[in-house]
Amino acid sequence: MAKIKTVFICQECGNDSPRWMGQCASCGAWNSIVEETPLSVAHARGALSKIQIMNGGKPIRLDEIGSELEIRIPTGVPEIDRVLGGGIVQGSVVLVAGDPGIGKSTLMTELALYLKNRSILYIAGEESPSQIKMRVKRIGDTGDHLALLAETNVESIIHTVLDDPPEILIVDSIQTLFSSDVQGAPGSVAQVRESAAALIQLSKSSNIAVFLVGHVTKDGAIAGPRVLEHMVDTVLYLEGDRHHAFRILRAVKNRFGSTNEIGVFEMTETGLSAVENPGRVFLSDRTDESPGAVVVCSVEGTRPILAEIQALVAPTSYATPQRTATGYDARRLQMLLAVLEKREGMRLSGNDVFVNVAGGLRLSEPAIDLGIVAAITSSFRDLPVERSTVLIGEVGLSGEIRAVSHLEQRLKESANLGFTCALVPSSGLGDKRPVNGIDVQALETIHDLIETIF
Ligand code: TYD
Ligand code: MG
């Protein structure tokens, strides 16, 4: 018998190599390479060969493709529809990723419950059907239209689906599935990739919308295979802090829509409820001022969200001071600290610096730089910033404050939420009309900022 050829696959990034190595040549991870049987074997036989290939495998001209290819199923929940780019696209594959326990199964159950008049099959790989029924009850529904299948073998799932194709297939989770054609335990790169490939092919050939739930590992990659991200049409991350009620659904890849949209949800006793006006949910109700706390306005997708930034600068007891950022990019924090030190002569090297975006929110937009700088300075000098002030602006390496997009929209939302003063970049302000109810102060450098607020 011919020797079965094996490949060595990195469990972190999915890169394959012909021999074992201590460090992955692609992602640099150590000891992540595991020997597996090649994937192509499974493609050639088993369930996959039973799926007919679209159009008999012949090339197809663009003008022969009907526009009906992109049919969308609106979920009726604006928060979900917006993130998906206007509803679920038939025949598309969506990966819903997130930390364990963040609410992925809850979100998928609710999605299924919203779509009352659609046929839905829910593959329960992690929980028993009775557990899912309990969740449906908790959400306050009967879920009579929902069909459950407790099965983890991909071939069996495909057989069941082909017998009676649903419009929407929910797989919870992809890490529990296994294909009998591939070696390795469920959850290994080979199994996850193979199972996903089979379901993607099923989705495309039978025009079924497929949702794959995927757990994220500690370092943020979708368990093992980041490979899934390029195989699917849409990647959604459900994020948030488990100790806070708010959850954010964010599209990081979307072949059918914009990737900068977010949906805001609140985890309640009866499931996830959509927060349609998230403007102020991330602001605390505190009315007194405390050093280190400021409010910024970040545009997430198309909507401005006001959020509170907290900074703590405290003398360090270590040789190397700590710099910790929660909900914000730690490298950007390092950069802003260097700018403060170099341009303003602030002696931060003997201090630990902690920055936190309140409410479990994660902000990546540069427009909140100004707020971070103000929060750090405020804590360093132990002087509070007025509660009614909102800060908007990007900070450059020479300490200049740079223009941001959607300035007018940010100012309007801040005024709506009762802020009376806004510190904004002077560049980009141009001849824009003033916004009602908010006093706009234009700044050129962080030096101006420090002089204005303290
Ligand atoms: P779950 O959807 O099971 O998380 P995941 O599938 O991402 O692992 O949700 C887990 C948490 O959500 C769990 O700790 C309980 C909580 N929860 C509520 O607070 N309210 C609810 O109505 C439901 C269904 C869950
Ligand atoms: Mg789950």
Side-chain angles (χ1 to χ4, degrees):
M1 205 177 109
K3 190 168 167 276
I4 297 175
K5 255 180 92 178
T6 56
V7 287
F8 294 85
I9 296 180
C10 171
Q11 302 291 305
E12 292 288 332
C13 70
N15 184 52
D16 49 32
S17 49
R19 60 190 170 81
W20 191 86
M21 289 182 290
Q23 186 184 22
C24 172
S26 165
C27 70
W30 288 94
N31 275 336
S32 61
I33 295 179
V34 168
E35 183 175 14
E36 286 175 359
T37 47
L39 310 165
S40 47
V41 184
H43 279 291
R45 54 189 165 127
L48 295 181
S49 55
K50 296 187 190 80
I51 303 171
Q52 56 165 33
I53 298 166
M54 273 167 115
N55 200 34
K58 279 200 224 76
I60 179 166
R61 276 217 328 266
L62 273 189
D63 61 356
E64 292 164 5
I65 303 174
S67 55
E68 72 278 2
L69 271 183
E70 195 186 299
I71 299 175
R72 286 187 187 259
I73 307 170
T75 62
V77 183
E79 292 299 297
I80 299 180
D81 285 347
R82 180 178 321 106
V83 176
L84 287 171
I88 303 166
V89 178
Q90 268 185 6
S92 73
V93 182
V94 180
L95 176 66
V96 180
D99 290 333
I102 202 76
K104 300 178 296 298
S105 305
T106 310
L107 183 71
M108 287 297 104
T109 314
E110 294 208 356
L111 182 84
L113 295 177
Y114 292 135
L115 298 162
K116 285 261 179 304
N117 47 3
R118 306 283 174 173
S119 57
I120 296 166
L121 180 62
Y122 194 110
I123 309 293
E126 292 193 345
E127 296 153 301
S128 67
S130 60
Q131 275 175 308
I132 292 172
K133 183 152 188 185
M134 268 159 52
R135 184 162 60 230
V136 170
K137 265 204 187 139
R138 187 171 173 183
I139 294 168
D141 207 295
T142 52
D144 291 339
H145 67 299
L146 187 60
L148 296 176
L149 176 66
E151 176 63 75
T152 51
N153 182 282
V154 184
E155 286 81 22
S156 313
I157 293 172
I158 290 174
H159 277 276
T160 312
V161 169
L162 290 179
D163 277 349
D164 180 15
E167 279 174 279
I168 295 166
L169 177 71
I170 297 172
V171 179
D172 189 3
S173 68
I174 187 72
Q175 273 105 3
T176 56
L177 297 198
F178 74 97
S179 162
S180 3
D181 293 329
V182 183
Q183 275 184 0
S188 67
V189 169
Q191 286 290 5
V192 168
R193 182 152 65 173
E194 193 50 40
S195 307
L199 292 171
I200 290 166
Q201 211 167 343
L202 174 71
S203 157
K204 303 296 169 202
S205 60
S206 315
N207 217 16
I208 300 170
V210 176
F211 284 84
L212 304 175
V213 171
H215 294 294
V216 165
T217 51
K218 274 182 256 89
D219 53 6
I222 295 172
R226 222 172 281 160
V227 278
L228 280 192
E229 292 200 5
H230 73 248
M231 291 164 70
V232 299
D233 299 309
T234 302
V235 180
L236 306 181
Y237 271 87
L238 186 63
E239 10 172 274
D241 185 352
R242 233 183 301 170
H243 306 293
H244 287 93
F246 294 107
R247 301 283 182 271
I248 290 175
L249 187 66
R250 191 188 294 269
V252 296
K253 166 181 172 179
N254 194 349
R255 284 184 184 151
F256 307 108
S258 144
T259 52
N260 48 24
E261 288 296 354
I262 63 164
V264 182
F265 297 87
E266 186 175 5
M267 182 62 94
T268 65
E269 268 309 298
T270 53
L272 284 166
S273 67
V275 179
E276 272 158 41
N277 289 309
R280 73 166 320 130
V281 297
F282 297 102
L283 294 180
S284 66
D285 301 324
R286 216 158 32 85
T287 47
D288 57 328
E289 291 154 359
S290 66
V294 303
V295 175
V296 295
C297 182
S298 176
V299 172
E300 296 292 313
T302 51
R303 290 177 307 171
I305 290 181
L306 281 102
E308 189 170 309
I309 308 269
Q310 297 166 337
L312 180 67
V313 180
T316 184
S317 41
Y318 300 101
T320 318
Q322 296 187 67
R323 272 84 178 89
T324 311
T326 313
Y328 184 70
D329 181 16
R331 282 198 207 162
R332 194 133 187 116
L333 172 64
Q334 300 271 18
M335 183 206 100
L336 295 177
L337 291 173
V339 171
L340 275 172
E341 224 167 297
K342 177 94 181 167
R343 307 287 164 207
E344 288 306 306
M346 219 182 269
R347 299 197 44 85
L348 292 161
S349 50
N351 291 289
D352 290 334
V353 179
F354 305 94
V355 169
N356 180 29
V357 179
L361 192 64
R362 189 169 62 84
L363 298 176
S364 50
E365 215 209 355
I368 68 163
D369 289 353
L370 195 63
I372 304 267
V373 166
I376 293 167
T377 315
S378 163
S379 176
F380 182 72
R381 298 201 173 178
D382 218 15
L383 293 171
V385 176
E386 270 203 48
R387 291 290 295 167
S388 55
T389 301
V390 61
L391 293 111
I392 302 161
E394 179 181 345
V395 174
L397 286 181
S398 53
E400 82 279 18
I401 297 171
R402 313 174 71 149
V404 299
S405 58
H406 308 293
L407 185 60
E408 206 167 330
Q409 213 185 337
R410 294 178 208 253
L411 290 172
K412 274 191 187 142
E413 182 71 8
S414 308
N416 282 345
L417 296 178
F419 288 84
T420 53
C421 176
L423 301 180
V424 305
S426 61
S427 57
L429 199 60
D431 49 355
K432 288 214 179 75
R433 288 173 292 117
V435 173
N436 280 344
I438 193 157
D439 171 31
V440 175
Q441 298 195 22
L443 309 172
E444 269 174 33
T445 61
I446 55 170
H447 191 73
D448 294 352
L449 166 79
I450 293 169
E451 295 216 318
T452 312
I453 55 174
F454 301 114

